[in-house]
């Protein structure tokens, strides 16, 4: 939604982006920040422990002092953990328990007054629907758009990944449920991500790697030896998606509806198994030297299809062109665990300069990024 908000702003529409923690927080106290929690928040300054999901976002979304919005756009956001439920009043909120280490008095208050709740992933759509009902009650005249999530078709392999727990199972039956909300809630529209992506796919190279090159990995280890590797494709950060989605929102603002072009449909090839792609060395060097984030990640992803061969030297030779990106860095760090080649230390030294000069995402991003480079260098050094 942050990327989409920026795209909508680039179309000339003022837009505010807010991060939610769980439908449960809004459902448990819609439009009201519990007074005792607000007091604790002010007393201890807990803002950094909400990870942008501050109490306004969790309980109100839109404050009474804010101007009434022209349109509310929401996605099927993932839920944070842990969630805490107040024993006496049953309101629910998210905070990182690391706050307890800094504020023992806050820890004691929470342990005396709260339990923990673990949402069932299988009932996510039910509590989301309840949240939409509360939102409609509070803003009866404001149109709502719900942006669905991309389904996990076989062609999106390996093992499409969603940040929403349970979506890998839920997507198979979710579409009619989500579409029903448009009939049940007045002035609510649904944007079908499958159809939007289908249109983008129709006008591009028909490979999932073109749009979603980032892979997430889990390693299995035994006695400091890697015994297994599981790869999942991140299908939730599609750069080509945001301007197209923004155009759908603009259409709704102007015409009051959302239409789809003929090519915006689910293609048959999405039902076919994923076909891995491979590149020769010249093409890999070309991609790694491009300075383009998606091309670079796509090349690194192909390394994992030939784990019998060490491609680390190609990274070192093109180090000055590697884009600063946490997703790409995760892939390189994982590859360094499989092939702990000392030549990667050179890549770390070169890339550290690029990361240090990259300030667009703020100092905390840079600090975390540099620490991860240091971890890689210590491991391969």
């Amino acid at each position: 939604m942050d990327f989409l908000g920026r795209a909508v702003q680039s179309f000339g529409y003022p837009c505010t982006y807010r991060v939610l923690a769980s439908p449960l927080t809004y459902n448990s106290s819609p439009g009201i920040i519990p007074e005792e929690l607000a007091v604790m928040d002010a007393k201890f300054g807990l803002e950094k422990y909400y990870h942008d999901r501050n109490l306004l976002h969790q309980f109100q979304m839109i404050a009474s002092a804010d101007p009434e919005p022209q349109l509310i756009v929401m996605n099927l956001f993932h839920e944070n953990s842990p969630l805490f439920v107040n024993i006496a009043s049953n309101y629910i909120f998210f905070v990182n328990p690391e706050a307890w280490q800094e504020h023992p008095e806050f820890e004691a208050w929470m342990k005396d007054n709260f339990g923990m709740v673990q949402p069932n992933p299988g009932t996510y759509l039910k509590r989301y629907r309840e949240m939409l009902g509360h939102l409609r009650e509070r803003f009866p005249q404001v149109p709502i758009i719900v942006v669905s999530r991309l389904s996990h078709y076989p062609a999106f392999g390996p093992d499409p990944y969603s940040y929403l727990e349970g979506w890998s199972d839920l997507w198979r039956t979710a579409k009619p449920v989500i579409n029903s909300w448009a009939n049940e809630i007045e002035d609510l529209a649904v944007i079908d991500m499958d159809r939007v992506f289908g249109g983008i796919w129709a006008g591009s190279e028909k490979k999932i790697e073109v749009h979603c090159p980032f892979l997430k990995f889990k390693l299995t280890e035994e006695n400091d030896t890697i015994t297994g590797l599981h790869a999942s494709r991140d299908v939730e950060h599609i750069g080509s998606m945001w301007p197209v989605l923004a155009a759908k929102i603009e259409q709704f603002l102007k015409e009051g509806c959302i239409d789809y072009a003929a090519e915006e449909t689910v293609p048959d090839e999405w039902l076919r198994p994923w076909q891995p792609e491979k590149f020769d060395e010249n093409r890999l060097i070309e991609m790694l030297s491009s300075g383009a984030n998606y091309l670079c990640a796509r090349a690194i992803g192909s390394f994992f299809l030939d784990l019998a061969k060490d491609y680390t030297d190609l990274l070192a030779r093109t180090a000055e062109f590697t884009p600063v990106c946490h997703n790409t860095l995760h892939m390189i760090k994982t590859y360094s665990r499989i092939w702990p080649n000392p030549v990667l230390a050179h890549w770390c030294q070169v890339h550290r300069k690029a990361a240090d000069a990259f300030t667009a995402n703020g100092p905390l991003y840079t600090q975390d990024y540099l620490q991860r480079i240091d971890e890689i260098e210590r491991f391969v050094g």
Side-chain angles (χ1 to χ4, degrees):
M1 288 295 101
D2 185 19
F3 290 111
L4 177 56
R6 296 179 195 184
V8 170
Q9 282 188 313
S10 73
F11 281 29
Y13 299 94
C15 181
T16 300
Y17 166 62
R18 293 184 172 171
V19 191
L20 309 183
S22 166
L24 289 175
T25 65
Y26 194 74
N27 292 344
S28 65
S29 185
I32 301 169
I33 299 176
E35 184 177 355
E36 59 179 355
L37 184 56
V39 169
M40 290 292 173
D41 179 59
K43 181 177 182 178
F44 297 112
L46 302 173
E47 182 175 357
K48 67 180 179 180
Y49 296 107
Y50 300 132
H51 303 302
D52 293 329
R53 293 144 179 89
N54 60 45
L55 296 185
L56 168 63
H57 299 164
Q58 295 194 46
F59 291 112
Q60 288 183 287
M61 296 192 201
I62 303 164
S64 56
D66 291 333
E68 184 163 296
Q70 181 181 358
L71 173 67
I72 297 172
V73 181
M74 303 181 68
N75 72 330
L76 302 180
F77 59 92
H78 70 273
E79 295 182 278
N80 283 80
S81 181
L83 294 172
F84 296 95
V85 56
N86 182 269
I87 297 170
S89 303
N90 292 321
Y91 64 81
I92 297 170
F93 84 113
F94 161 77
V95 67
N96 189 328
E98 288 181 5
W100 298 348
Q101 299 174 21
E102 185 176 347
H103 304 291
E105 184 182 341
F106 178 61
E107 176 185 14
W109 177 75
M110 284 204 63
K111 289 186 174 180
D112 285 344
N113 294 281
F114 290 84
M116 291 184 66
V117 58
Q118 182 64 49
N120 178 0
T123 57
Y124 174 82
L125 295 179
K126 180 179 179 181
R127 55 185 169 272
Y128 194 98
R129 169 62 179 83
E130 183 181 347
M131 178 188 64
L132 291 175
H134 290 309
L135 189 63
R136 172 50 72 229
E137 290 173 6
R138 182 158 181 235
F139 296 97
Q141 305 301 321
V142 181
I144 299 171
I145 290 178
V146 175
V147 181
S148 69
R149 281 180 175 259
L150 195 64
S151 299
H152 288 182
Y153 289 100
F156 298 168
D159 190 19
Y161 176 85
S162 174
Y163 292 83
L164 174 58
E165 186 180 2
W167 183 251
S168 57
D169 296 320
L170 199 59
W171 73 267
R172 301 177 189 279
T173 57
K175 187 166 292 189
V177 176
I178 296 170
N179 288 338
S180 72
W181 298 340
N183 297 322
E184 298 169 358
I185 300 175
E186 186 175 355
D187 212 0
L188 182 145
V190 174
I191 294 181
D192 188 329
M193 284 281 280
D194 289 347
R195 296 194 66 175
V196 173
F197 189 44
I200 295 170
W201 182 279
S204 69
E205 183 182 358
K206 294 174 177 55
K207 291 181 179 292
I208 191 61
E209 291 86 352
V210 174
H211 309 279
C212 308
F214 302 118
L215 299 174
K216 303 173 75 69
F217 296 96
K218 289 184 179 180
L219 298 176
T220 304
E221 300 181 66
E222 188 173 330
N223 299 324
D224 296 325
T225 300
I226 296 173
T227 58
L229 174 74
H230 179 80
S232 301
R233 183 173 308 284
D234 181 347
V235 294
E236 297 192 354
H237 294 89
I238 305 175
S240 56
M241 183 73 78
W242 316 125
V244 181
L245 280 176
K248 296 291 186 190
I249 290 171
E250 182 176 49
Q251 180 190 37
F252 185 87
L253 287 168
K254 289 181 175 180
E255 303 174 12
C257 64
I258 295 169
D259 293 325
Y260 300 93
E263 66 272 15
E264 290 183 311
T265 187
V266 174
D268 292 340
E269 60 260 32
W270 286 3
L271 298 172
R272 298 171 191 152
W274 170 61
Q275 297 296 319
E277 58 180 7
K278 294 184 179 181
F279 306 101
D280 61 32
E281 186 170 307
N282 288 336
R283 177 57 177 153
L284 286 172
I285 292 175
E286 180 183 333
M287 297 167 76
L288 293 168
S289 302
S290 69
N293 196 18
Y294 275 34
L295 280 176
C296 182
R298 193 174 171 185
I300 295 168
S302 73
F303 294 176
F304 292 88
L305 301 174
D306 184 16
L307 290 177
K309 180 178 179 179
D310 182 6
Y311 290 89
T312 306
D313 182 61
L314 300 186
L315 279 173
R317 287 160 57 185
T318 60
E320 63 184 299
F321 304 107
T322 306
V324 177
C325 171
H326 263 299
N327 292 317
T328 303
L329 188 66
H330 166 74
M331 296 168 71
I332 293 173
K333 183 178 180 181
T334 302
Y335 195 71
S336 74
R337 298 294 311 280
I338 298 169
W339 283 101
N341 190 330
V343 76
L344 194 61
H346 167 74
W347 177 89
C348 290
Q349 293 161 13
V350 174
H351 192 58
R352 187 179 288 108
K353 296 177 182 177
D356 200 35
F358 182 84
T359 59
N361 290 344
L364 293 179
Y365 178 99
T366 301
Q367 179 183 351
D368 182 54
Y369 197 97
L370 291 172
Q371 288 176 349
R372 294 178 190 228
I373 295 176
D374 292 342
E375 291 171 3
I376 296 173
E377 188 170 16
R378 283 196 298 269
F379 186 75
V380 300

